[in-house]
Amino acid sequence: MPHKKVWGRRLLTREVAQLPKEILNQVTYQRTASVMKRNQQIICQRCGQITQQQEAKLNEEDYYCPHCLFLGRNDTTQELWLFDQPPLFPRQIIFTWDKTLTIEQAKIAQRLTTQVTDHHLIWAVTGAGKTEILYPLLQLLLATGKRVAIASPRVDVCQELLLRFTTVFPEEKIVLLHGKQQVPYTFSSFVICTTHQLYRFYHAFDLLVVDEIDAFPYVRDQGLQYATETAKKPDGQLIYLTATPDERLLKEIRRTFQIHYLPLRFHQRLLPEPRLIFWNNWRLCLNKRKKMNPLIKKIQTLVKDNHVLLFCPSIELMNELQMKLAEWLPTINITSVSSKDKKRQEKVQAMRHQKYEVLLTTMILERGVTFENISVIVLGAEHEVFTKSALVQIAGRADRKGEFSNSQVCFFYHEKTRAIKKAVKEINMMNKAGRLLQ
Ligand SMILES: [Zn+2]
């Protein structure tokens, strides 16, 4: 079925040329200018962004769009091919989930299934089970022949979502798409992809869910907003999921989205509130064991009850600290994982099976992963990589699953930044609301 390679796609001439030629006889499509010149400006039809002519010059005659270069250059030598997709038929959906929604989750799920023409934002604390809230809606849409996509800015989150959805929808052929994918695209009514993949779809989805909407500056990334709007069908539904929404996003969508708030976790316990531990010039202490006592003692205490995720602001610091800790704490099983680690998947999997007592990491484990019996330490919480949203997400790794195990969250900091204060304030506020539901 070669035409399945193009249904619902938005491709450049160069990308179409790589496909088998007979496809074009089997499908319907429109061809449009891919980059347009108007007055002194260049308008990209793929990412919707405008550039001044002098900044977009390729040669004497041609222009390109500098905004979406990461997808392969879009320029005036290309056309944009917008492929139609056929309607799908109603069918039976196999759904196997052995748990039930909480009353609060069920209320939101019901609103999603009854108000399918509205856009929704689900603001749910970390560990509230926002993915599960989608199950009834997904069943309904797939059963009525609709096409759905779930997009996240992070590859790791996509992998985790695929795992969860293939478990509960065992008969569905769910396609996973991201930049490092080797397998060529093929049509499926259920797609999980990174947000960047949305640039390659056109009017394809009846439902488009964007998970972890706070993980990228969505309201400031007009290209991504354009891709999201145009990847779905014109009358398609949008659902945004977040644990810690951007204030600007909330303001922007207030009139066009229904906002649902879920302040209590699935297991009905509150979020662990971060303990703030001031550590003057902690960076200067890394070479001496004695000076590292605040961290070493904290690790020794925490590993008595739980395994520990230790977040570092950079890979270099993480590597250095791992070497030192291995020397100073020889009886504790310590490892590290970062975006550059080739064994990243295996290590995360091993941590799920509680193979390490301490896992040093960077921002890659900030969201989307769930481990049982976990305490969390952030070293250098004042660093700029630890935004409010990142800190709330990181704190949310603790006490997500299983019985209560005295999980703790500790932020070691040299300077109490706005992000630290705002993260603590937001967690306290959510717990205040959560208490009313307990
Ligand atoms: Zn562009």
Side-chain angles (χ1 to χ4, degrees), residues 219-349:
V219 281
R220 273 150 270 171
D221 190 335
Q222 288 170 355
L224 221 39
Q225 260 187 331
Y226 176 87
T228 306
E229 275 297 328
T230 48
K232 72 172 185 65
K233 291 181 180 172
D235 59 351
Q237 186 185 19
L238 277 177
I239 294 181
Y240 291 166
L241 307 178
T242 177
T244 164
D246 187 298
E247 282 158 30
R248 279 173 64 178
L249 173 75
L250 279 179
K251 215 168 163 187
E252 182 147 310
I253 65 168
R254 209 172 40 204
R255 286 196 185 85
T256 44
F257 277 64
Q258 288 201 38
I259 298 175
H260 311 277
Y261 188 49
L262 186 54
L264 194 58
R265 292 184 140 183
F266 190 77
H267 54 40
Q268 308 291 301
R269 294 193 293 272
L270 299 177
L271 300 164
E273 293 178 9
R275 295 166 191 217
L276 303 187
I277 305 167
F278 174 66
W279 190 358
N280 196 28
N281 281 329
W282 61 267
R283 271 179 192 274
L284 303 178
C285 304
L286 283 176
N287 284 327
K288 293 221 169 73
R289 192 200 185 286
K290 225 175 176 182
K291 287 190 173 174
M292 287 300 282
N293 259 343
L295 180 66
I296 291 173
K297 290 224 163 101
K298 184 53 80 182
I299 293 174
Q300 285 169 330
T301 314
L302 295 182
V303 291
K304 285 179 191 156
D305 294 326
N306 289 289
H307 296 242
V308 175
L309 279 178
L310 200 170
F311 287 83
C312 302
S314 70
I315 297 177
E316 294 71 37
L317 187 109
M318 180 190 84
N319 291 338
E320 192 186 338
L321 188 63
Q322 186 191 352
M323 269 169 31
K324 301 281 181 200
L325 290 178
E327 185 189 325
W328 297 330
L329 296 167
T331 57
I332 294 179
N333 187 3
I334 298 173
T335 193
S336 67
V337 66
S338 74
S339 56
K340 292 193 178 144
D341 197 328
K342 288 202 179 94
K343 291 192 176 151
R344 160 181 173 181
Q345 297 270 10
E346 292 95 309
K347 284 183 176 173
V348 170
Q349 197 55 28

Side-chain angles (χ1 to χ4, degrees), residues 44 47 65 68:
C44 175
C47 75
C65 170
C68 56

